[in-house]
Amino acid sequence: MTPRPGSLFAPGNIALSLLALAIIALIVPGLVRWSLIDATFHGTMADCRAGAGACWAFLGAKARFILFAFYPGDQLWRPALVIGLLLGLMTVSALPRLWGRRLLVGWIVTLPGAWFLMAGGGPLRPVAVNDWGGLPVTLLIWTSCMAFALPASVLLALARQSRMTGLRLLSIGYIEGLRAVPMVAILYVAMLILPMALPAGVIVDKITRATIMTTLFFTAYLAEVVRGGLQTIPAGQVEAASALGLGYWRTVRMIVLPQALRRVIPGLVNLAIGFLLATSLLAVIGVFDLLNAAKASTTDPQWLGFYDEAYLFAAAIYFAICFAGSRYSLWLEGHLRRG
């Protein structure tokens, strides 16, 4: 019996599988030798230069800088606590049974608290924004953008579907205008133009400016994803809600949005992961995010040029967060479908 073209044992699938196995057999032995067998786990730069494998001793010496950049050494408990708070907040937010007003209060309290921990004030020693960097900055900007962009995108998507011509045209102009501009240009606006637009005497640090402009930028992309979900809701459901006496906002809150957001979970998670990876562009305005801190760690004269190890360390952190997000997306889809 001839295998079907889409079956596991089709000739094309067999050929691709054999090709993948050949590539793995070609790459893995050398990678294992470089990363484990010939690697240097302890020592100095001279020891690493003498070896033929990876220099994991570099990470032992520079991991603190990659994670926290120039943050004062005696205050590292603060950015470490920020990492724990933000990861804990995202973990709690991932549990549907905890969705509600208490979770909203948790976001309202935790995000400003994280910014306060990083900046200091009162009993905490102030730390200049130029000393911030590494993983706390990446997570802080990412979670702040998502916290403000998601509700704003819902309102923007609803405005684009509004029957009010003026409101609809404004939302279309906002969405299409920002989607037509590269993010690097938005960051330059935050760095060069936004300070000139502020009133005299008002000074906003570069990380806050970058967070604001990045939030406005990604709101436009999220709005289109949400609008795609809104368009899948049959008009009959809205008409039925109207016949039952439900007003516009109750219909949106109780009938339209729960279904629309559930149907665009993959798109929302995909954009969220894209937001996380796009924080690396903050390097163009001098913000030491995780990737920029990893790059800067390789310029230390005592540990010069170990790019592979630095980028692998940063890549492992990005992968852990992104992989957890993708698996959570699959789980949430199945959980809500059963519900």
Side-chain angles (χ1 to χ4, degrees):
M1 184 174 63
T2 304
R4 291 176 298 176
S7 68
L8 181 63
F9 299 102
N13 289 338
I14 294 175
L16 288 175
S17 299
L18 292 176
L19 178 61
L21 289 175
I23 294 174
I24 292 173
L26 183 66
I27 294 176
V28 170
L31 182 62
V32 170
R33 176 172 293 276
W34 175 81
S35 61
L36 296 175
I37 299 175
D38 296 335
T40 302
F41 293 92
H42 304 284
T44 62
M45 183 174 68
D47 298 323
C48 291
R49 297 296 185 197
C55 179
W56 302 125
F58 164 80
L59 291 182
K62 305 303 293 183
R64 188 198 73 82
F65 181 85
I66 295 174
L67 290 175
F68 305 112
F70 301 105
Y71 211 87
D74 60 338
Q75 300 290 315
L76 287 183
W77 64 271
R78 288 159 56 180
L81 181 58
V82 167
I83 294 174
L85 286 173
L86 295 179
L87 291 179
L89 180 62
M90 288 185 285
T91 301
V92 170
S93 302
L95 303 175
R97 67 176 184 273
L98 299 179
W99 294 349
R101 294 182 180 179
R102 292 183 179 180
L103 181 60
L104 179 61
V105 172
W107 276 89
I108 294 174
V109 172
T110 302
L111 275 183
W115 283 90
F116 174 75
L117 279 172
M118 291 294 293
L124 298 178
R125 192 177 85 188
V127 176
V129 171
N130 290 333
D131 293 333
W132 298 15
L135 184 57
V137 168
T138 295
L139 292 178
L140 194 58
I141 294 177
W142 180 44
T143 52
S144 298
C145 287
M146 291 302 299
F148 289 99
L150 185 56
S153 66
V154 171
L155 296 176
L156 201 58
L158 292 173
R160 184 160 186 172
Q161 290 192 322
S162 173
R163 296 178 181 177
M164 301 172 62
T165 304
L167 184 62
R168 185 173 66 254
L169 291 178
L170 284 175
S171 64
I172 291 174
Y174 177 89
I175 293 172
E176 299 302 332
L178 284 179
R179 291 176 69 206
V181 177
M183 182 175 170
V184 174
I186 295 294
L187 293 176
Y188 279 126
V189 169
M191 191 67 179
L192 303 174
I193 299 178
L194 188 58
M196 294 187 292
L198 295 174
V202 177
I203 300 176
V204 180
D205 62 79
K206 62 182 179 182
I207 291 183
T208 302
R209 297 199 304 268
T211 302
I212 293 172
M213 295 304 297
T214 304
T215 300
L216 296 176
F217 179 77
F218 283 117
T219 297
Y221 285 85
L222 279 173
E224 284 297 273
V225 174
V226 175
R227 186 172 70 90
L230 294 175
Q231 290 180 329
T232 65
I233 307 302
Q237 295 196 19
V238 178
E239 294 171 359
S242 178
L244 292 173
L246 296 180
Y248 173 78
W249 289 109
R250 292 186 67 187
T251 301
V252 169
R253 180 173 62 86
M254 300 174 64
I255 297 174
V256 176
L257 278 184
Q259 297 182 78
L261 294 179
R262 181 174 60 188
R263 295 177 182 180
V264 295
I265 288 174
L268 292 177
V269 174
N270 184 58
L271 270 181
I273 291 175
F275 293 177
L276 174 65
L277 301 180
T279 56
S280 60
L281 294 176
L282 295 171
V284 302
I285 61 172
V287 175
F288 270 78
D289 67 298
L290 176 63
L291 190 61
N292 197 23
K295 179 181 178 182
S297 68
T298 62
T299 61
D300 186 343
Q302 296 182 359
W303 297 94
L304 195 61
F306 293 101
Y307 295 99
D308 294 337
E309 293 80 357
Y311 288 139
L312 281 173
F313 181 63
I317 295 175
Y318 281 119
F319 175 79
I321 299 174
C322 295
F323 182 74
S326 66
R327 301 309 300 176
Y328 168 71
S329 173
L330 294 174
W331 173 85
L332 185 60
E333 282 186 87
H335 177 80
L336 294 180
R337 188 179 298 115
R338 289 193 302 270

